[in-house]
Amino acid sequence: MIWFVLGLPLLGFLIQCLLGKRLVGVIGKRGVGALAVLPIAIAFVLGVIITMGLAAQPEGSRAIVTELFSWIQIQSLNIPFELRIDPLSMTMVLVITGIGALIHLYATGYMAEEQDYPRFFAYLNLFIACMLVLVLGNNLALLFIGWEGVGLCSYLLIGFWYKDFANARAANKAFIVNRIGDWGLTLGLFIIVAMIAGSYQSLGDVNGRYFSYDVILSPAVLKIFEANPMWTSAAAMLLFVGAMGKSAQFPLYLWLPDAMAGPTPVSALIHAATMVTSGVVLLNRMHPFFALSPMASAIVTVIGAFTALFAALVAFGQTDIKKVLAYSTVSQLGFMFVACGVGAYWVGMFHVITHAFFKALLFLGSGAVIHAMSHEQDMRRYGNLFKYIKITAVTMIIGWFAIAGVPGLAGFWSKEAILGAAFGNHVAVIDGFNYGAMAGWVCLAVAVLTAAYMTRMSMLTFFGGTEQWRTVAPSHAHDHADHAHDEHHGEHAHHGEDVHNFFYTDAELAALHEEHGHHPELDKEHTPHEVPISMWVPLAVLAVLSLAGGWVLHNGHMLQHWLYPDGPMYLASEQVSGHPHGWVGDYLMFMGIGAGVVGILYGWLVYRKGLPAKEREESRWHWFRRWAGAQFNYDKAMVDASVDGGGAIAEFCWKTVDVKGVDGAVNGVGWLVGAISNLVRKIQTGYVRSYAAMMMLGVVGLLASIVYMVMAQNGGGR
């Protein structure tokens, strides 16, 4: 049955690729959209059945490996095409297919007017299939295929409107930054395989399956790594570099906010249920290597805490509703890595799940708001939308409370568990310094910031009493990220003039200019309206999950016992008890609740009356807010260094090394040969008398030489 879970999204992908355009004319776009949703929904149902069967097994038997065929077999190396059914993989299957199906359903309405409707859903189905390969594969080769597959799909989806320069640039940026992370992942995997291959005699008979998890994570292999701490730390840290790329940790986070250029369902899928969770899943799967290296654990903890703080500060400087959520995702991923760094891997997965609930809700809700506001994404032009779009407003408010840590909601339980694990940490300790406790205080401060900027977003959008779009001039802040909705575009798949005039033909540019003539712009007469049922049903389901999902998973430590029934495999349970001792432990819950309350109160006091006067124009903003909005110039510095700096290096290599050096040397040799040839050519006259004269000169010279040698032998002619 597990093969159907993997095969159904692939089948959906093939249907969209091979028959999509033809079917649009037969059953319509909604019918084609249903053919994209059904495979994911059925895969979710099958996943539920398999998970229930797995849960009924004894705890020690909840790991099943099933092989489809022998894939790579070279002498003593055997890499079968095999899947692994265990609590971690099935948890991710449910998240990917469950949340993915809701996002697919939402997209059927959101992309209804898109010309390339089948192409969009083909990419979406393929994305789900690649993610399933990543989490279900039982060896490093399948992990790598899934890892690269989601990278490819993210490139295709972020650049879906590829004729728009901003979208194409964002897709390229995501692809290139992820390659840096993949470099680390590949080297980490090479170290692990090399260590195992070098010790194959001590492993016994494993049938050449040196890439399979059940071999890599076996006690015999881990003893080898325990005896080589330097290589263990190197492998763990390189694996973390890979996780930094996929899961957008500092300094490799900068592709994720730009991924907003893709359609909103893509943003929800990447940010909530699939790609960005890959790093956390990788650390959970390979956690014994991190458990054996306090240094690697400390690095994961510190970078996670710094990323959480950095992104939360940047989120405060954003005015684009989707950008606020994008930096919020980066920040929340930092929380997840703090949990993994302090050894509480199940807590990291707990936050992955709850975050999938409320972040998918918030992203899809932001798409509904943008839809209602004629594609305006600047929050400073919203206000009082609760009056017009009540379903969207109520569901997004639930998401806001969930991420802010309001007690009882999903985010509260997982954040509380992360704070407890960080303060109770005994894993990320080097030379007596407890990096986990330090990260705990940072996360507590970030919890205040999170509640504050999410309150700001919600108050500016739904409350305040003033309908800002009737008073504030258009900002044109949106970057053409949201194109295809129910009531715009018609036959136009793209809008936004390409200032580079590179991707569009003259005819397409003329069509764009014509389109701007009838494009519905946001003006003071605009009346927002609710989204259709295909878009608000997923919001309602995600709102319910954001309300009760955290409590269900936390109740009786259900998720912890499911993922790690006896505690992490290679850590003593008391090391990751998840709850600190002393006064911090006594008041931890109150501190966590207090952080959310302080942040919400701050946001309410500042934004309860709507947009403050000092935020009406960007030029009046406080210097720190402008600086934070620009990511503290980090992104610009990276772009300058990589693009401009790289361009300067490339130009030097071209004009100096290649043209003057390589070409100069080659051309110089050619010139020298030509010059010699010209000289020799003058001798080749074609006249017999000339050749006879030359022969005579040669004979004279030869005779003179002989005479000279004879005279030299006879004493120099004496």
Side-chain angles (χ1 to χ4, degrees):
M1 194 180 291
I2 193 66
W3 293 104
F4 284 101
V5 173
L6 180 60
L8 283 167
L10 282 175
L11 177 63
F13 163 70
L14 292 175
I15 291 174
Q16 298 294 329
C17 284
L18 302 177
L19 305 173
K21 283 194 174 180
R22 295 180 182 177
L23 290 175
V24 167
V26 178
I27 59 176
K29 286 184 176 178
R30 295 302 179 108
V32 172
L35 290 177
V37 177
L38 280 175
I40 313 302
I42 296 172
F44 172 71
V45 173
L46 294 178
V48 171
I49 295 171
I50 296 171
T51 303
M52 292 175 66
L54 190 67
Q57 299 293 320
E59 291 180 351
S61 305
R62 291 176 183 167
I64 302 168
V65 176
T66 173
E67 179 180 335
L68 181 62
F69 55 84
S70 181
W71 181 26
I72 299 173
Q73 195 157 19
I74 304 172
Q75 295 185 342
S76 60
L77 178 64
N78 178 24
I79 306 177
F81 201 93
E82 56 186 355
L83 300 186
R84 182 181 185 85
I85 304 170
D86 67 5
L88 178 60
S89 63
M90 292 314 300
T91 300
M92 283 307 300
V93 165
L94 296 183
V95 172
I96 294 165
T97 56
I99 305 296
L102 292 173
I103 294 172
H104 273 65
L105 176 61
Y106 179 95
T108 59
Y110 193 88
M111 304 296 287
E113 300 302 323
E114 176 60 48
Q115 278 186 329
D116 286 337
Y117 199 75
R119 182 166 67 88
F120 177 77
F121 281 103
Y123 292 163
L124 225 54
N125 277 185
L126 184 62
F127 202 140
I128 297 290
C130 292
M131 195 66 199
L132 289 174
V133 171
L134 193 157
V135 301
L136 281 171
N138 186 50
N139 56 55
L140 299 180
L142 285 173
L143 167 77
F144 191 75
I145 288 177
W147 194 270
E148 294 302 318
V150 294
L152 170 65
C153 291
S154 68
Y155 170 77
L156 296 173
L157 285 168
I158 294 169
F160 179 72
W161 291 307
Y162 59 90
K163 291 186 178 181
D164 191 306
F165 187 79
N167 291 46
R169 185 172 53 186
N172 286 335
K173 190 174 183 180
F175 191 82
I176 293 169
V177 173
N178 269 284
R179 297 290 76 72
I180 299 172
D182 293 351
W183 164 82
L185 173 72
T186 307
L187 288 182
L189 298 182
F190 280 166
I191 288 177
I192 293 173
V193 173
M195 290 286 287
I196 295 174
S199 309
Y200 71 95
Q201 293 177 332
S202 60
L203 299 180
D205 183 16
V206 295
N207 195 27
R209 297 171 62 252
Y210 301 114
F211 282 68
S212 299
Y213 291 142
D214 45 317
V215 175
I216 292 172
L217 302 179
S218 66
V221 168
L222 294 175
K223 282 183 181 177
I224 296 170
F225 281 92
E226 192 172 9
N228 296 275
M230 186 184 72
W231 287 110
T232 304
S233 294
M237 287 189 285
L238 285 167
L239 291 177
F240 179 57
V241 172
M244 289 164 66
K246 277 289 184 288
S247 294
Q249 292 298 284
F250 190 90
L252 301 181
Y253 79 92
L254 41 79
W255 67 271
L256 191 58
D258 285 18
M260 297 298 96
T264 295
V266 173
S267 305
L269 195 62
I270 291 177
H271 283 246
T274 55
M275 186 169 171
V276 299
T277 64
S278 303
V280 185
V281 174
L282 177 70
L283 262 62
N284 266 267
R285 179 64 74 195
M286 308 297 280
H287 78 267
F289 296 97
F290 291 88
L292 292 172
S293 173
M295 179 183 293
S297 296
I299 289 173
V300 172
T301 304
V302 170
I303 290 182
F306 179 78
T307 303
L309 178 61
F310 178 85
L313 291 173
V314 173
F316 235 100
Q318 303 302 313
T319 57
D320 184 318
I321 187 171
K322 286 180 65 177
K323 287 290 182 70
V324 174
L325 296 177
Y327 286 104
S328 169
T329 299
V330 176
S331 181
Q332 296 301 306
L333 287 166
F335 273 83
M336 298 172 202
F337 279 100
V338 167
C340 294
V342 298
Y345 300 98
W346 77 271
V347 177
M349 288 304 300
F350 189 14
H351 204 54
V352 165
I353 298 169
T354 59
H355 182 261
F357 296 159
F358 57 71
K359 189 51 64 72
L361 169 61
L362 289 168
F363 262 115
L364 298 184
S366 73
V369 170
I370 294 166
H371 169 272
M373 297 300 290
S374 289
H375 327 297
E376 177 62 61
Q377 296 182 203
D378 192 335
M379 298 182 301
R380 295 173 298 181
R381 298 205 70 207
Y382 295 168
N384 202 32
L385 290 182
F386 189 91
K387 173 183 175 183
Y388 300 99
I389 49 175
K390 286 188 170 54
I391 297 175
T392 300
V394 169
T395 54
M396 281 196 73
I397 289 169
I398 292 172
W400 158 35
F401 285 159
I403 194 174
V406 171
L409 275 69
F412 168 76
W413 300 107
S414 53
K415 268 189 188 177
E416 192 70 12
I418 291 173
L419 292 174
F423 283 117
N425 161 70
H426 299 287
V427 176
V429 179
I430 299 179
D431 295 333
F433 187 83
N434 192 331
Y435 290 90
M438 179 199 69
W441 289 112
V442 173
C443 287
L444 201 59
V446 174
V448 177
L449 294 174
T450 303
Y453 68 69
M454 289 304 299
T455 304
R456 170 175 173 263
M457 187 195 83
S458 301
M459 298 302 291
L460 289 180
T461 302
F462 298 114
F463 303 106
T466 304
E467 297 172 355
Q468 297 292 342
W469 71 92
R470 303 189 193 280
T471 60
V472 179
S475 64
H476 300 292
H478 70 286
D479 54 0
H480 308 291
D482 291 270
H483 296 240
H485 304 281
D486 290 340
E487 296 186 0
H488 85 295
H489 276 256
E491 295 302 317
H492 301 294
H494 312 280
H495 78 116
E497 185 170 354
D498 172 24
V499 297
H500 299 269
N501 199 17
F502 177 73
F503 295 104
Y504 291 106
T505 64
D506 292 340
E508 288 172 329
L509 280 174
L512 288 173
H513 287 303
E514 182 183 353
E515 176 190 1
H516 277 286
H518 61 82
H519 191 289
E521 295 288 348
L522 182 65
D523 56 34
K524 62 181 181 181
E525 304 300 329
H526 178 76
T527 301
H529 53 86
E530 190 58 86
V531 292
I533 187 171
S534 61
M535 293 173 67
W536 67 253
V537 164
L539 296 179
V541 175
L542 289 167
V544 172
L545 292 172
S546 300
L547 273 173
W551 178 80
V552 171
L553 294 173
H554 179 267
N555 191 29
H557 301 284
M558 188 180 81
L559 183 66
Q560 180 181 6
H561 293 157
W562 165 249
L563 288 175
Y564 300 105
D566 297 319
M569 196 182 311
Y570 301 100
L571 288 176
S573 58
E574 62 271 16
Q575 287 183 285
V576 288
S577 61
H579 199 78
H581 302 293
W583 71 271
V584 173
D586 295 338
Y587 298 104
L588 180 62
M589 179 173 290
F590 300 105
M591 291 163 63
I593 295 173
V597 170
V598 169
I600 292 173
L601 272 179
Y602 166 81
W604 181 77
L605 288 172
V606 175
Y607 298 100
R608 71 185 187 282
K609 294 182 180 178
L611 187 69
K614 63 181 181 181
E615 293 191 29
R616 291 181 184 276
E617 295 181 13
E618 196 165 351
S619 59
R620 295 183 182 178
W621 280 28
H622 188 271
W623 66 269
F624 182 79
R625 190 184 294 276
R626 291 199 305 273
W627 192 29
Q631 304 176 49
F632 306 106
N633 293 328
Y634 173 75
D635 186 88
K636 183 177 184 302
M638 290 297 102
V639 172
D640 288 348
S642 60
V643 178
D644 297 340
I649 292 172
E651 189 172 356
F652 172 79
C653 292
W654 166 41
K655 292 184 176 178
T656 304
V657 177
D658 186 29
V659 175
K660 294 184 179 178
V662 178
D663 287 359
V666 173
N667 293 336
V669 170
W671 177 86
L672 182 62
V673 172
I676 296 173
S677 299
N678 286 333
L679 182 63
V680 174
R681 188 175 60 188
K682 292 178 180 177
I683 301 174
Q684 302 295 320
T685 60
Y687 295 109
V688 175
R689 61 178 181 272
S690 298
Y691 298 148
M694 292 174 62
M695 291 176 63
M696 186 179 69
L697 289 175
V699 171
V700 170
L702 180 63
L703 290 174
S705 175
I706 294 172
V707 170
Y708 175 78
M709 288 189 291
V710 171
M711 291 177 67
Q713 288 180 349
N714 293 331
R718 283 180 300 176

